[in-house]
């Protein structure tokens, strides 16, 4: 019984994995939210980009989730941050913008 209780306690303990982000790393994703503009309820598509190391965040809304919105949002975020991040992670599906992902950096 003592062994069972000990094993059960070990399994039920909360564990945390520390997240570490180097300076200059960014994360981005598109999302949707309902907004009211001029009294009309509309679905807005937004790009959220953040720098986890500094907790700085940029969000911009668009009428649709298009390639143009994707690229414009990134350009505006880079302008807001004052630089292009050294590392970049996105959870956005690549299939939406295949041409963007085919670009190779040198």
């Amino acid at each position: 019984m003592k062994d069972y209780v000990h094993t059960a306690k070990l399994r039920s303990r909360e564990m945390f994995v520390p997240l570490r982000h180097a300076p200059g790393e960014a994360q981005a994703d598109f999302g949707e939210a309902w907004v009211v503009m001029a009294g009309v309820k509309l679905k807005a598509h937004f790009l959220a980009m953040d720098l986890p190391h500094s907790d700085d965040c940029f969000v911009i809304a668009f009428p649709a989730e298009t390639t143009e919105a994707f690229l414009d949002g990134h350009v505006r975020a880079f302008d807001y941050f004052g630089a292009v991040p050294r590392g970049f992670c996105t959870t956005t599906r690549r299939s939406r913008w295949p041409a963007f992902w085919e670009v190779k950096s040198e």
Side-chain angles (χ1 to χ4, degrees):
M1 185 64 156
K2 182 175 127 183
D3 290 338
Y4 172 79
V5 170
H6 177 71
T7 303
K9 281 184 180 180
L10 287 176
R11 274 194 238 130
S12 66
R13 285 196 328 193
E14 286 189 70
M15 300 186 117
F16 299 93
V17 177
L19 298 175
R20 296 175 194 249
H21 299 278
E25 287 184 356
Q27 297 176 338
D29 199 4
F30 254 99
E32 297 176 349
W34 289 101
V35 298
V36 177
M37 293 179 63
V40 179
K41 185 177 178 181
L42 305 166
K43 185 185 286 187
H45 301 265
F46 63 89
L47 173 77
M49 185 180 295
D50 74 318
L51 303 176
H53 182 78
S54 64
D55 283 336
D56 199 358
C57 183
F58 174 83
V59 179
I60 188 167
F62 296 96
E65 189 175 338
T66 63
T67 300
E68 291 80 9
F70 178 85
L71 296 173
D72 183 48
H74 280 71
V75 169
R76 289 174 186 248
F78 299 157
D79 184 52
Y80 169 81
F81 294 131
V84 175
R86 284 185 263 165
F88 194 84
C89 170
T90 184
T91 57
T92 303
R93 293 188 310 240
R94 291 181 179 204
S95 62
R96 291 184 183 162
W97 301 285
F100 176 80
W101 296 110
E102 291 171 8
V103 175
K104 305 253 192 273
S105 60
E106 298 184 19

